[in-house]
Amino acid sequence: MSILSQPWVIFLLIGLVAGFLASLVVGGGGLISCLLSGVIGAFVGGFLFHALGISLGIGNPLVVEIIQATVGAIVVVILARAIA
């Protein structure tokens, strides 16, 4: 694995973990739906936290990313269900 591909793998793993955690909260499907909701949720959560000025005050950036992505994934799943 090259140095250039490592951030992508980490990003996908964060998305997978966030999607899994979101599926525990709101219910969900399989591996692909967890990955998709987590990856989209990472963008949504990062945007929401930044736009609302929310700072978690946690020193570990990986934990912050997982929390933000999980919150974003929950929002994405709830909105998708409301639209469908």
Side-chain angles (χ1 to χ4, degrees):
M1 181 180 325
S2 72
I3 291 178
L4 295 176
S5 65
Q6 284 179 348
W8 286 105
V9 171
I10 292 170
F11 179 71
L12 291 175
L13 287 174
I14 289 172
L16 185 61
V17 169
F20 173 74
L21 293 173
S23 72
L24 291 177
V25 173
V26 293
L31 180 68
I32 300 299
S33 65
C34 284
L35 181 62
L36 286 175
S37 66
V39 168
I40 295 168
F43 289 108
V44 172
F47 172 77
L48 288 175
F49 276 69
H50 180 71
L52 297 174
I54 299 172
S55 176
L56 298 176
I58 300 172
N60 189 337
L62 183 61
V63 173
V64 171
E65 290 289 327
I66 290 173
I67 292 171
Q68 288 179 348
T70 302
V71 170
I74 291 169
V75 169
V76 166
V77 170
I78 290 173
L79 285 176
R81 288 183 183 170
I83 293 170

